Amino acid sequence: MFRFGEVEISVVPELMLREPASLYPDFAPEVAQAELSWLAPHFYDPASQTFASSIHTYVLRFPGRLVIVDTGGGNAKDRPASPRFHRLNEPYLERLALAGVTPEAVDLVVLTHLHVDHVGWNTTLVDDRWVPTFPKARYVFSATERDARDPARGGASKPAAYQDIFRDSVQPVIDSGQAWIVEGTETLAPGLDLMPIPGHAPGQMAVRIRSQGQEALLIGDVMHQPLQVRAPHWNSRYCEDQETARATRLKLLDYAAETGCAIFAGHFAHPHGGHVRRDGEGYRFEPLVA
Ligand SMILES: [Zn+2]
């Protein structure tokens, strides 16, 4: 658990995966080799050239307000195009309960973007229907993302697998009247606002927490691995707009180094967050002490 002023941030895991370095087309083993003192074995295994990748939800406790950010892959979803998320059966809700979170208590579900590994627990299968998992929450997501993925809009040109994600995990919260569709620059509550970070996904948004002079920034998938702080030009294969993803990453690193805010990423292994420090012409990553 981390504290920023009056706000507590904790992490509820769904999955821990290993990802091949080939996920980064520009990956160079010698770059990783030079960073092994802090990278291995926790974040990166040099023998297999694989990275640790965590799928998790952030729980933000504001005074009088419970917010979760990103909802993993979800259970029982048909994902033949994404085998790692196909028909999962994970005790995620039990883990949320262990963190003191009941679905009824969640006020806001913020989705940094609408990829398969960020929206799954939006809904749960009940009597063959996908129903919102968090019955009293408003679900916050970007209009740009909605326009790109809704099969009734731009999503019609996307592969069927993309359309399925929207149908079973996003459309039900629109139908239930729980969607809060945003531009990506809004203030959601005192001390909680959004910043656009497009590239990896067209409407990706960072979630910024500011309280009593302290700041934390949840950066979605601007970086998948802390090594990208050292090699910010590396994109992942999943970045939809490669040039914009690079530009956003550089901007965000500059912002984090300049403000001293902590960043929390969508998939960094434990402790999931850290500080970005300037180092010569570039940056280095300083993991938080949990
Ligand atoms: Zn992701």
Side-chain angles (χ1 to χ4, degrees):
M1 199 266 285
F2 304 97
R3 178 176 281 280
F4 296 85
E6 292 188 302
V7 184
E8 288 176 11
I9 300 182
S10 52
V11 179
V12 172
E14 186 192 41
L15 296 172
M16 179 55 85
L17 306 171
R18 305 275 340 158
E19 290 199 313
S22 59
L23 181 65
Y24 306 93
D26 295 323
F27 175 79
E30 61 275 15
V31 173
Q33 205 64 32
E35 307 293 329
L36 286 185
S37 62
W38 65 277
L39 212 55
H42 187 65
F43 295 112
Y44 173 73
D45 172 43
S48 60
Q49 291 195 0
T50 58
F51 289 99
S53 179
S54 166
I55 312 291
H56 53 250
T57 288
Y58 288 104
V59 175
L60 316 180
R61 281 193 176 79
F62 287 76
R65 189 175 273 113
L66 183 59
V67 181
I68 66 172
V69 180
D70 289 339
T71 64
N75 273 4
K77 304 250 148 128
D78 258 319
R79 300 286 185 251
S82 307
R84 297 183 307 178
F85 300 103
H86 186 54
R87 296 187 188 168
L88 292 178
N89 184 20
E90 294 292 321
Y92 171 84
L93 292 178
E94 289 81 350
R95 291 190 198 127
L96 266 187
L98 282 175
V101 178
T102 59
E104 295 73 22
V106 175
D107 297 302
L108 283 181
V109 177
V110 186
L111 306 168
T112 58
H113 60 299
L114 301 183
H115 282 174
V116 60
D117 51 328
H118 295 260
V119 299
W121 278 101
N122 284 1
T123 58
T124 315
L125 195 57
V126 178
D127 298 332
D128 289 332
R129 279 186 57 232
W130 293 107
V131 302
T133 306
F134 306 98
K136 296 177 181 163
R138 297 180 81 187
Y139 287 73
V140 181
F141 54 93
S142 139
T144 306
E145 287 282 297
R146 185 269 319 265
D147 291 350
R149 308 199 193 284
D150 182 349
R153 300 171 189 253
S157 61
K158 296 277 188 335
Y162 269 64
Q163 301 187 30
D164 289 344
I165 296 165
F166 194 90
R167 281 199 197 92
D168 63 33
S169 300
V170 181
Q171 190 65 48
V173 309
I174 296 174
D175 294 342
S176 69
Q178 290 172 263
W180 179 1
I181 300 172
V182 297
E183 297 305 314
T185 54
E186 286 85 345
T187 296
L188 303 177
L192 177 64
D193 68 351
L194 300 171
M195 290 167 62
I197 45 168
H200 174 70
Q204 187 174 229
M205 311 180 294
V207 179
R208 181 163 58 180
I209 295 133
R210 286 184 289 188
S211 178
Q212 297 179 340
Q214 294 191 283
E215 177 170 339
L217 193 63
L218 278 53
I219 64 166
D221 291 2
V222 166
M223 291 178 280
H224 285 76
Q225 290 295 329
L227 182 55
Q228 286 173 284
V229 174
R230 298 294 279 168
H233 55 289
W234 290 2
N235 281 333
S236 89
R237 290 188 192 283
Y238 300 129
C239 294
E240 293 186 51
D241 177 339
Q242 296 272 321
E243 277 319 302
T244 307
R246 269 190 201 100
T248 290
R249 193 174 304 116
L250 286 169
K251 220 165 117 182
L252 185 133
L253 287 167
D254 181 63
Y255 176 89
E258 201 56 41
T259 61
C261 74
I263 59 165
F264 289 90
H267 303 300
F268 288 10
H270 181 87
H272 315 290
H275 288 97
V276 174
R277 308 293 186 202
R278 291 195 196 282
D279 189 355
E281 295 288 288
Y283 303 96
R284 67 187 158 79
F285 184 65
E286 203 176 274
L288 290 170
V289 178

